[in-house]
Amino acid sequence: MSESLNQASHLQGSEGFHTPSAHVYISYDPANPPSHPGLNWTRFVCISDTHSHTFSVPSGDVLLHSGDLSRLGREDEIRVTIEWLRSLDHGVKIIIAGNHDLPLHEEWYEDSYYAFHDKKESSTAIKNLVDSDANRDRGLIYLQDEQYTFSTKEGGREWSVYGSPWQPYFGGWAFNYLPEEAYDRVSAIPEVDILLTHGPPHNILDKTFTNVNAGCPALLAHLSKMRGPPLLHVFGHIHEARGAVRHSWLQAEEDQCFSDSECSPALGTRETIMVNAANLPLGRQAIRPGPGGQRIPCGGLGFQPVIVDLLDSATRLEM
């Protein structure tokens, strides 16, 4: 069950939502973003689908980028994004690839580059741009079907994160899977505090301009079976569905009982903050209403970075 808040077409006049352990800001004054809630909280700034554009990003403890770092994955495009990300002041920056970051899907690119690129670029050189010791020394971490743990303050909470660039088949791009491959692909996702995927789960911030729910049913089913689903799941891919929801996972009664005579205590309502953090406006959403039809830039009004403050003591079993 998802309580939807402020997809891009409904942003004006409402800035987000709060729970006892999470503050979510979808729209705000870029010149005066909401203040950090304090030492017992961690601020996550969520972006996605930046496609080699650069823009102002609010300060925070952790930057999360859910893929489509570039337009078509060319080395010069990736370099622009990585230099921009390295310049940002977040102590930890976690990034994944998306379907536009073509050479990072090395096996696919070897066979399919000609459909997008006039000449083949070096997958190795591009991978070294996004994943290097120099980047890691500056807190910039690239994940491709990998888990990572980090702390943002000495003696503070250790957060776990998993990053996956995949999504259901979409126009023959990189990091696609067919329906029959979906379970094997998503079942590798472990229980972590923070999940980054490029594509959304089915029916959660995944509706396209053509009114199709393009998210992955297998991903939704896998997450629903977790005893401790993520506190925060960030994705993008479907630009027009940008926004945030509180998604409640209802524990089935039979899953709480191990035998007829013994039943575990109720887990209560488990929630995940779901964020479609796409920053690049597309189609009619890219034009500001009113006279003149001014174009909204990447990261502009309605497509700003989403700010999520999480209480350090929040647990994945009950938020």
Side-chain angles (χ1 to χ4, degrees), residues 70-123:
S70 63
R71 296 179 179 89
L72 288 172
R74 293 189 176 93
E75 185 172 351
D76 59 339
E77 297 172 352
I78 293 285
R79 187 178 301 278
V80 167
T81 299
I82 294 303
E83 289 179 354
W84 171 56
L85 294 174
R86 286 179 60 158
S87 75
L88 299 178
D89 62 3
H90 309 76
V92 179
K93 292 166 275 201
I94 312 291
I95 67 174
I96 64 171
N99 59 292
H100 277 253
D101 303 316
L102 309 177
L104 293 174
H105 188 177
E106 296 178 48
E107 293 179 3
W108 173 90
Y109 185 69
E110 185 70 23
D111 295 333
S112 304
Y113 75 91
Y114 57 85
F116 300 89
H117 289 177
D118 294 335
K119 63 178 183 179
K120 187 189 295 184
E121 302 219 5
S122 169
S123 291

Side-chain angles (χ1 to χ4, degrees), residues 47-51 65-74 77-78 81 95-106 108-109 116 126 130 142-145 163-168 170 172-177 196-200 234-239:
I47 62 176
S48 187
D49 299 86
T50 56
H51 294 281
H65 192 310
S66 280
D68 279 0
L69 304 165
S70 63
R71 296 179 179 89
L72 288 172
R74 293 189 176 93
E77 297 172 352
I78 293 285
T81 299
I95 67 174
I96 64 171
N99 59 292
H100 277 253
D101 303 316
L102 309 177
L104 293 174
H105 188 177
E106 296 178 48
W108 173 90
Y109 185 69
F116 300 89
I126 292 168
V130 301
Y142 175 73
L143 299 179
Q144 187 168 312
D145 300 314
S164 172
W166 299 88
Q167 65 275 305
F170 185 81
W173 293 77
F175 295 111
N176 282 185
Y177 52 77
L196 301 183
T197 60
H198 184 56
V234 184
F235 45 88
H237 188 47
I238 309 302
H239 297 219

Side-chain angles (χ1 to χ4, degrees), residues 105 145 162 164-167 175-178 180-189 222:
H105 188 177
D145 300 314
Y162 185 87
S164 172
W166 299 88
Q167 65 275 305
F175 295 111
N176 282 185
Y177 52 77
L178 297 170
E180 60 269 24
E181 301 168 324
Y183 174 78
D184 287 342
R185 181 60 62 187
V186 303
S187 63
I189 296 174
H222 178 61

Side-chain angles (χ1 to χ4, degrees), residues 265-293:
L267 291 178
T269 300
R270 301 163 301 148
E271 287 191 345
T272 297
I273 302 297
M274 300 279 192
V275 176
N276 181 330
N279 292 116
L280 182 63
L282 293 180
R284 60 182 179 270
Q285 292 180 335
I287 306 301
R288 197 184 309 276

